[in-house]
Amino acid sequence: MSEIKRILVVDDSAMVHKLMDRYLIGYEIVGYAKDGKEGIELFHKHRPDLTFMDITMPVVDGISAIKGIKQIDPDAKIVMLSAMADEEIVEEAKGLGVVTFLQKPFNKDTLQRTIYEVQQGG
Amino acid sequence: MKASDLKVYQDALVSAIEDMTVIYKAEIINSGLVSKNSFTFDPDATAGIASIVGFSGKVKGRNLLWIPSSLAILITEQVVGDTVSEYHDEMVLFTVNEINNVVSGAAITELNNLFQLSLRLSPPSIFAGGSFEIITPKSKSYEVEVNIKSDYYKKALSKGPQDHIVMNVAIEGSLDDEK
């Protein structure tokens, strides 16, 4: 089991950043990226234990950002965080090596449970 | 796909409001989906916030979510847990955008799974103020309106436009209209 301590949040919504601040007590949030390009840069800089990645973002979207992060670290743990969860996009994300999907809206319980499941998965 | 299939937006709007705020209930009014030629904001009503998200795939269009200013403030305070002083506050604008993102995401997920439309959302745009009309050329729009109720905020929410949220969906071309 690998412990999750340091988390990166890649989402263009300030509301999501605010919720993460409230819900992720006890974790170190290494950064908030507003788009996929910034997400790749922050991942490279901080090498978090876990990255939450939105799909629909300006500049570089989530799918492209996942590819960029996986080039830096093929074992990077990424949780897709999205309002969209259709079969096609879930399959595409799984193919890129995403650990799991968390569909919006999320609450503190589902967020904490997701982190626990990622930890248990190793 | 038929116009009646856009009922997914009704369900998504109700779920999003109730899941994100917890204390509010959303009640569909005006018998569900109403066919419109454009989105018109009542000039006699108060100011509001409109968030627009485009979508494209096998069909193209846009989703517009409109929330009156006072209700947008109340919802934001409930969702993020902070006090907000005015509807132009960045957090209010982001919250309205995120609600539209959640509603649109849930609705097109359902449409994609049902009809394999491969729809994808664009990043949202936001408009704040009063008295405007949004026209989407070559498109027919369908509107659902919900009334927001809360026992907790019974005094703050009064009857009328102040507590109504509108979702207006425009699709390029036309669908089979059903009553």
Side-chain angles (χ1 to χ4, degrees):
Chain A
M1 184 184 82
S2 56
E3 194 175 1
I4 305 290
K5 292 182 182 177
R6 302 168 70 249
I7 295 175
L8 171 65
V9 178
V10 186
D11 195 306
D12 60 338
S13 171
M15 193 206 88
V16 170
H17 299 177
K18 192 77 177 178
L19 290 181
M20 289 295 191
D21 261 349
R22 286 175 73 192
Y23 297 161
L24 294 179
I25 304 295
Y27 297 95
E28 179 192 350
I29 299 178
V30 300
Y32 290 109
K34 298 183 298 297
D35 56 63
K37 180 173 179 286
E38 190 178 359
I40 295 170
E41 290 166 357
L42 289 180
F43 181 89
H44 181 71
K45 181 178 178 182
H46 295 288
R47 303 300 179 106
D49 301 318
L50 179 64
T51 300
F52 284 103
M53 178 74 70
D54 187 19
I55 293 179
T56 306
M57 291 182 290
V59 186
V60 174
D61 67 17
I63 297 292
S64 301
I66 290 170
K67 293 176 184 174
I69 287 174
K70 286 290 186 176
Q71 281 188 336
I72 298 170
D73 179 3
D75 296 323
K77 288 187 172 58
I78 303 172
V79 172
M80 208 84 211
L81 183 68
S82 180
M84 292 182 49
D86 60 79
E87 291 157 4
E88 190 177 312
I89 210 161
V90 170
E91 284 305 309
E92 186 176 9
K94 282 182 180 175
L96 293 172
V98 164
V99 176
T100 191
F101 232 92
L102 180 58
Q103 190 170 8
K104 294 178 178 179
F106 57 87
N107 56 34
K108 185 178 181 179
D109 287 343
T110 55
L111 191 66
Q112 297 275 1
R113 190 163 54 243
T114 298
I115 296 172
Y116 176 77
E117 287 170 358
V118 173
Q119 282 185 157
Q120 295 300 108
Chain B
M1 186 171 71
K2 299 176 182 174
S4 58
D5 295 316
L6 297 180
K7 182 184 178 298
V8 295
Y9 281 96
Q10 294 180 29
D11 301 333
L13 181 55
V14 169
S15 293
I17 294 299
E18 296 184 351
D19 289 346
M20 292 176 79
T21 66
V22 180
I23 64 167
Y24 290 135
K25 295 298 175 193
E27 176 187 73
I28 295 172
I29 59 177
N30 292 336
S31 303
L33 283 169
V34 176
S35 177
K36 294 268 180 101
N37 289 323
S38 65
F39 173 76
T40 302
F41 176 72
D42 184 351
D44 294 326
T46 188
I49 299 170
S51 166
I52 298 178
V53 167
F55 58 82
S56 61
K58 291 183 181 172
V59 295
K60 296 177 191 175
R62 62 101 182 108
N63 302 327
L64 184 155
L65 178 74
W66 181 82
I67 303 181
S69 55
S70 56
L71 185 56
I73 290 172
L74 288 175
I75 289 175
T76 299
E77 290 180 338
Q78 177 61 24
V79 172
V80 303
D82 279 346
T83 304
V84 177
S85 59
E86 56 167 15
Y87 76 94
H88 278 108
D89 186 289
E90 183 183 70
M91 195 52 65
V92 179
L93 304 181
F94 273 111
T95 299
V96 173
N97 257 351
E98 189 62 21
I99 293 173
N100 194 9
N101 183 43
V102 168
V103 175
S104 299
I108 72 168
T109 291
E110 193 66 17
L111 292 174
N112 282 343
N113 286 338
L114 286 171
F115 302 108
Q116 290 76 52
L117 298 175
S118 299
L119 299 176
R120 293 291 175 258
L121 296 175
S122 67
S125 298
I126 198 134
F127 302 85
S131 188
F132 54 83
E133 183 176 9
I134 293 177
I135 301 165
T136 308
K138 303 181 192 174
S139 302
K140 190 72 176 290
S141 66
Y142 304 85
E143 201 162 281
V144 59
E145 202 167 342
V146 297
N147 188 26
I148 304 301
K149 295 183 174 182
S150 166
D151 288 336
Y152 187 81
Y153 283 119
K154 208 172 271 184
K155 290 180 183 177
L157 293 175
S158 56
K159 290 181 182 176
Q162 288 279 1
D163 57 357
H164 289 189
I165 293 177
V166 178
M167 171 63 85
N168 180 291
V169 182
I171 294 184
E172 201 172 80
S174 62
L175 300 173
D176 293 333
D177 281 298
E178 291 181 10
K179 190 89 173 110

